[in-house]
């Protein structure tokens, strides 16, 4: 298995182009099933979650070619397919194929996507919205199965689930009649999906709000779309500069929404400024602690930045507190940071962090995508050598994190387990 080897203590400086958004492109790949014909996606990130979804789509007759960030899909000959557990569990984004396939074929089936280390991740809200749109839905041990024609109507979400909102939109755009989704998630990735669908002929309004209106159309056409930059990957490289006292410029950030993220970098003592298509960070010698960070649905501080922020605060000056309110077990990074000498106490859904001057390099293990990236950050700031096992988790969402960090001056290599 591959692991990331890091020699800590180097300031990160320089410029990098931001990759396309993983959580933006995954729902769009599902939406392609609704577009009969060819779809060209530019700035598509070359990450394993995307490769996994393309592999899954191939079982439903979707063909694709992927070269230098440009994805060319053809769904002309797509057909209904029941995705088994080996496909459903590959990536959480796969659950969105249910809404898209039901919307196009009026039938869909998939094994349960299952939970992961950050939580049980049930799909009860997804099933709720399908039923509210008229699905005959059966939940069996082998998975979830939908049939019947989607009928526009009133969808009410008791919690602004990103995936359930996206599945509701995917199921409603070609439904008979009109739909209003109340309590919709407002994450930028949901808005990106709606913009893509409108480019393909959908009629969606209220984009980016918690009340989304959809006028059902007969079908969608192929189109061309450029995926926005990834706001969490942007936060990751800004954090890499922040923990090493460096100065980094991110390019390709014109449409990247940093709401709920940038202000926390400021509170830690970083200077961040945006120009048209760039974000620049100038970090202090040592970060300042921030008490009272709470993750919550957009526009609050995003849960996907939580592990990365805990890693930043582990070497900040003073005491910080971070509370996780979205996922029930998303502190997998804490025991690994403690092995590097971090002073972190967990109490339920909160962690209390006393910043250390320095962490000590050692071998640590990524438990999920974001905790893996957080451990790389910790290695950059640590004394000595850090090895982060579980590179396959990091590769799910980051294009070549080692090469990118190296181009910013970090001493990072991707090594193979002996
Ligand atoms: C999306 O997951 C993202 N994944 C996650 O990013 C992100 O952390 C999450 O939204 C929150 O912003 C993708 O977009 C592919 P939710 P999703 O439905 O849609 C509970 C990353 O690192 N819930 O908003 O699965 C759920 O268990 C990943 O890039 C139910 O109880 O998130 C969780 O506690 C991690 N029942 C909370 O809601 C349901 O039917 C938020 O989940 C659905 C969700």
């Amino acid at each position: 298995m591959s692991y990331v080897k890091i020699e800590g203590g180097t300031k990160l400086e320089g410029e990098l182009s931001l990759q396309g958004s993983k959580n933006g492109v995954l729902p769009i790949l599902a939406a392609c099933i609704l577009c009969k014909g060819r779809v060209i996606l530019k700035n598509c990130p070359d990450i394993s979650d995307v490769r996994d979804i393309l592999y899954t789509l191939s079982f439903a007759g979707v063909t694709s070619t992927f070269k230098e960030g440009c994805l060319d899909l053809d769904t002309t000959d797509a057909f209904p397919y029941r995705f088994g557990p080996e496909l459903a569990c590959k990536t959480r984004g796969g659950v969105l194929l249910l809404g898209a396939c039901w919307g196009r074929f009026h039938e869909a089936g998939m094994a349960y996507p299952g939970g992961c280390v950050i939580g049980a991740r049930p799909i009860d809200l997804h099933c709720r919205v399908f039923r509210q749109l008229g699905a005959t839905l059966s939940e069996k041990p082998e998975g979830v199965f939908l049939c019947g024609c989607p009928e526009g109507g009133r969808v009410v979400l008791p919690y602004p689930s990103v995936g359930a909102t996206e599945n509701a939109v995917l199921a409603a755009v070609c439904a008979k009649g009109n739909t209003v989704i109340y309590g919709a998630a407002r994450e930028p990735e949901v808005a990106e999906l709606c913009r893509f669908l409108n480019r393909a002929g959908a009629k969606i309004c209220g984009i980016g709000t918690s009340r989304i209106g959809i006028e059902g159309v007969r079908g969608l056409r192929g189109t061309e779309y450029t995926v926005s930059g990834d706001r969490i990957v942007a936060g990751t490289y800004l954090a890499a500069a922040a923990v090493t006292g460096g100065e980094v410029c991110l390019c390709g950030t014109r449409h990247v929404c940093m709401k709920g993220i940038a202000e926390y970098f400021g509170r830690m003592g970083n200077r961040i400024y945006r120009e048209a298509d760039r974000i620049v960070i100038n970090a202090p010698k040592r970060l300042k602690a921030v008490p009272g960070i709470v993750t919550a649905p957009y526009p609050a501080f995003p849960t996907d930045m939580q592990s990365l922020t805990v890693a930043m605060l582990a070497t900040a000056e003073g005491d910080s507190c971070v509370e996780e309110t979205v996922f029930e077990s998303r502190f997998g990074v804490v025991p690994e940071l403690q092995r590097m000498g971090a002073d972190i106490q967990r109490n339920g859904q909160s962690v209390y962090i006393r910043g250390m001057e320095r962490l000590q390099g050692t071998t640590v293990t990524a438990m999920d995508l974001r905790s893996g990236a957080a451990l790389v950050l910790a290695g950059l700031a640590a004394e000595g050598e850090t090895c982060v096992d579980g590179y396959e988790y990091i590769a799910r969402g980051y294009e070549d994190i080692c090469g990118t960090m190296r181009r910013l001056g970090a001493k990072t290599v991707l090594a193979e387990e002996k």
Side-chain angles (χ1 to χ4, degrees):
M1 303 295 256
S2 309
Y3 63 96
V4 181
K5 191 155 68 172
I6 307 139
E7 187 59 43
T10 312
K11 267 189 188 185
L12 263 61
E13 292 171 327
E15 195 167 289
L16 72 95
S17 293
L18 184 60
Q19 72 174 64
S21 168
K22 168 179 88 80
N23 293 348
V25 77
L26 292 178
I28 288 174
L29 290 174
C32 289
I33 288 185
L34 289 159
C35 311
K36 286 179 201 157
R38 275 183 68 192
V39 176
I40 309 285
L41 292 179
K42 293 179 176 165
N43 196 35
C44 184
D46 190 356
I47 53 179
S48 60
D49 267 15
V50 166
R51 298 275 176 185
D52 286 344
I53 282 280
L54 293 177
Y55 175 69
T56 302
L57 285 170
S58 69
F59 284 80
V62 176
T63 57
S64 61
T65 55
F66 192 8
K67 238 184 351 244
E68 282 120 49
C70 183
L71 189 51
D72 183 342
L73 293 112
D74 192 337
T75 68
T76 310
D77 302 325
F79 49 81
Y81 183 82
R82 290 192 165 192
F83 301 99
E86 72 293 342
L87 293 173
C89 297
K90 271 186 170 297
T91 165
R92 179 77 189 179
V95 71
L96 301 171
L97 297 179
L98 281 172
C101 289
W102 182 46
R104 174 162 173 185
F105 303 119
H106 297 178
E107 62 171 285
M110 176 171 285
Y112 289 98
C116 58
V117 282
I118 65 174
R121 307 187 78 176
I123 60 168
D124 56 310
L125 297 178
H126 297 248
C127 295
R128 176 195 178 101
V129 305
F130 292 140
R131 288 194 171 103
Q132 288 177 338
L133 289 167
T136 303
L137 186 142
S138 45
E139 296 185 71
K140 299 175 183 159
E142 61 272 27
V144 174
F145 302 91
L146 291 82
C147 62
C149 172
E151 280 144 33
R154 179 185 163 87
V155 172
V156 180
L157 277 166
Y159 177 88
S161 154
V162 172
T165 302
E166 291 167 340
N167 251 331
V169 169
L170 290 164
V173 285
C174 295
K176 245 196 249 148
N178 300 339
T179 297
V180 179
I181 303 169
Y182 297 93
R186 294 166 49 197
E187 272 70 3
E189 294 76 23
V190 177
E192 175 123 75
L193 170 66
C194 294
R195 285 194 298 272
F196 168 80
L197 288 165
N198 278 353
R199 282 285 293 265
K203 290 183 179 167
I204 305 171
C205 62
I207 295 176
T209 74
S210 57
R211 186 181 180 283
I212 298 174
I214 300 170
E215 183 186 327
V217 295
R218 288 181 57 76
L220 301 183
R221 57 180 179 271
T223 186
E224 191 170 303
Y225 187 80
T226 300
V227 179
S228 304
D230 190 309
R231 63 189 174 115
I232 306 302
V233 171
T236 304
Y237 289 112
L238 293 175
V243 288
T244 59
E247 180 169 346
V248 164
C249 172
L250 297 186
C251 303
T253 61
R254 186 179 307 279
H255 304 297
V256 176
C257 174
M258 296 303 282
K259 196 175 174 74
I261 299 175
E263 51 260 45
Y264 288 92
F265 280 93
R267 287 174 58 185
M268 290 183 213
N270 298 285
R271 267 184 344 107
I272 285 204
Y273 52 95
R274 287 193 83 146
E275 293 155 2
D277 192 27
R278 299 160 13 117
I279 299 176
V280 181
I281 184 171
N282 203 319
K285 198 163 170 355
R286 188 176 181 195
L287 296 174
K288 285 189 287 195
V290 178
I293 298 181
V294 182
T295 71
Y298 187 87
F301 179 73
T303 175
D304 291 350
M305 281 299 297
Q306 182 256 97
S307 309
L308 299 154
T309 303
V310 170
M312 281 198 274
L313 295 171
T315 53
E317 188 170 358
D319 295 349
S320 304
C321 171
V322 178
E323 184 184 357
E324 171 61 52
T325 72
V326 176
F327 288 103
E328 65 268 31
S329 51
R330 197 171 196 174
F331 285 127
V333 74
V334 170
E336 300 303 301
L337 291 172
Q338 288 167 334
R339 297 182 52 240
M340 297 177 74
D343 180 351
I344 305 175
Q345 305 304 322
R346 178 173 177 185
N347 179 5
Q349 285 301 98
S350 296
V351 288
Y352 300 87
I353 307 155
R354 173 148 297 176
M356 311 293 286
E357 278 278 345
R358 271 247 176 273
L359 298 183
Q360 304 307 317
T362 184
T363 296
V364 289
T365 304
M367 312 302 275
D368 64 270
L369 162 60
R370 306 300 174 187
S371 72
L375 291 170
V376 172
L377 291 189
L380 293 171
E383 220 151 46
E385 182 179 276
T386 300
C387 293
V388 181
D389 289 339
Y391 175 73
E392 66 278 9
Y393 286 107
I394 303 173
R396 287 189 45 212
Y398 293 85
E399 275 181 347
D400 187 19
I401 194 168
C402 286
T404 306
M405 292 292 189
R406 217 172 28 252
R407 284 192 290 280
L408 294 174
K411 294 180 185 141
T412 48
V413 289
L414 184 57
E416 288 303 322
E417 214 70 89
K418 295 173 239 8

